Amino acid sequence: MQNERLRATMAAGGWTHSDLANATGVDPKSVERWVNLGRTPRRQTALKASEALGEDVHALWPALRQARAARAVSPELVALYDQRADLAVSAFTDLFAQAQERIDVLVYAAVFIHEAFPRLNDLLRERAAEGCAVRIAIGDADSENVQQRGREEQFGHGIESRCRLALLHYRPLLGVPGIELRTHGTTLYNSIYRADDQMLVNAHVWGVNAYAAPVWHLRRSGGGGMFDGYASSFESVWATATPAREA
């Protein structure tokens, strides 16, 4: 799995694999493996790299954090974004494209992905055809919780319309083997976009549209962590959701 925190830090500073290899005394192939395969270097090498990059070593390689030390940041946290608008839509679609076993989506609407990436349904079909289980839960436009959310955002009937539009976008996937589409009426505390052991979680802030709320990128690193907590919440909502029907 890619080390996106390391990749972003290197890109921001204009570092190439060769540059960082020279600064740390390793082979460029080693740096490539740190970035593209998520490999963790030896502690001393990691310290040299983090010093050269001007970044906290545990932010780049959470696995180096000693278990007995007090942790201010979860080892599962890959990156934290101030608001969803800071992420390119490719952050979501690339995540889905990498999935081998499962894709789970829990939202009210999230029509921004279809609008910016019209091939989303094709991508999901491709992943399903490769054996990936795809589950999508979108908001029931007639539910009280969805309508309440619209009132809180002072968005009028906008969110209800977006839920209906999301259903129209996803409806062509009904009947595709490996893909399930359901609607739910739960209070949505976070939107969840999962691909195997990685997840983008869009927090919801009262009165604020989701595009202006924070997003954290998680990577599962063991049982019982943040990742599993959000995965469990998806399962709870999914169990209460209603299978979508043909129009």
Side-chain angles (χ1 to χ4, degrees):
M1 296 181 185
Q2 297 179 355
N3 186 331
E4 295 192 11
R5 184 65 170 266
L6 177 58
R7 182 190 298 279
T9 301
M10 290 177 64
W15 288 79
T16 66
H17 292 169
S18 294
D19 292 336
L20 191 55
N22 290 334
T24 55
V26 301
D27 187 273
K29 287 291 185 182
S30 295
V31 177
E32 184 178 349
R33 287 190 286 269
W34 299 349
V35 175
N36 294 330
L37 299 180
R39 300 285 176 80
T40 300
R42 295 175 182 271
R43 180 173 295 276
Q44 287 303 117
T45 304
L47 289 170
K48 289 181 182 178
S50 63
E51 182 177 357
L53 295 170
E55 178 60 278
D56 180 76
V57 66
H58 296 133
L60 294 174
W61 293 286
L64 292 174
R65 189 183 299 276
Q66 295 180 5
R68 65 177 179 272
R71 295 189 308 201
V73 179
S74 167
E76 295 189 320
L77 183 63
V78 176
L80 174 63
Y81 303 91
D82 289 344
Q83 53 185 13
R84 195 190 73 199
D86 292 336
L87 278 77
V89 170
S90 60
F92 297 86
T93 56
D94 288 351
L95 194 73
F96 296 153
Q98 296 173 24
Q100 298 296 315
E101 297 180 358
R102 69 170 63 245
I103 293 173
D104 289 334
V105 176
L106 172 62
V107 296
Y108 270 163
V111 294
F112 72 95
I113 302 181
H114 271 106
E115 290 172 347
F117 188 75
R119 285 197 63 255
L120 178 61
N121 283 3
D122 292 334
L123 172 59
L124 296 176
R125 287 190 189 95
E126 291 166 6
R127 299 319 310 135
E130 293 293 325
C132 189
V134 180
R135 298 184 296 178
I136 302 163
I138 59 178
D140 178 353
D142 296 321
S143 74
E144 173 57 29
N145 284 321
V146 168
Q147 295 173 6
Q148 178 63 30
R149 179 63 186 269
R151 291 191 291 269
E152 292 169 358
E153 290 182 355
Q154 299 181 357
F155 219 76
H157 296 288
I159 192 164
E160 298 160 48
S161 299
R162 294 201 306 275
C163 287
R164 293 190 173 93
L165 179 58
L167 186 57
L168 287 175
H169 280 311
Y170 283 116
R171 186 164 270 146
L173 297 177
L174 289 174
V176 175
I179 299 180
E180 294 183 79
L181 176 63
R182 297 184 183 183
T183 60
H184 70 96
T186 63
T187 300
L188 193 63
Y189 298 104
N190 302 278
S191 294
I192 295 174
Y193 308 85
R194 176 184 180 178
D196 294 340
D197 285 344
Q198 296 195 69
M199 183 184 293
L200 292 171
V201 180
N202 187 185
H204 289 185
V205 179
W206 194 94
V208 175
N209 190 282
Y211 72 81
V215 171
W216 37 90
H217 180 177
L218 302 178
R219 180 181 290 121
R220 190 172 187 270
S221 64
M226 292 175 63
F227 186 99
D228 283 352
Y230 285 112
S232 178
S233 73
F234 176 91
E235 297 295 343
S236 295
V237 174
W238 187 255
T240 68
T242 303
R245 306 295 183 192
E246 295 284 355

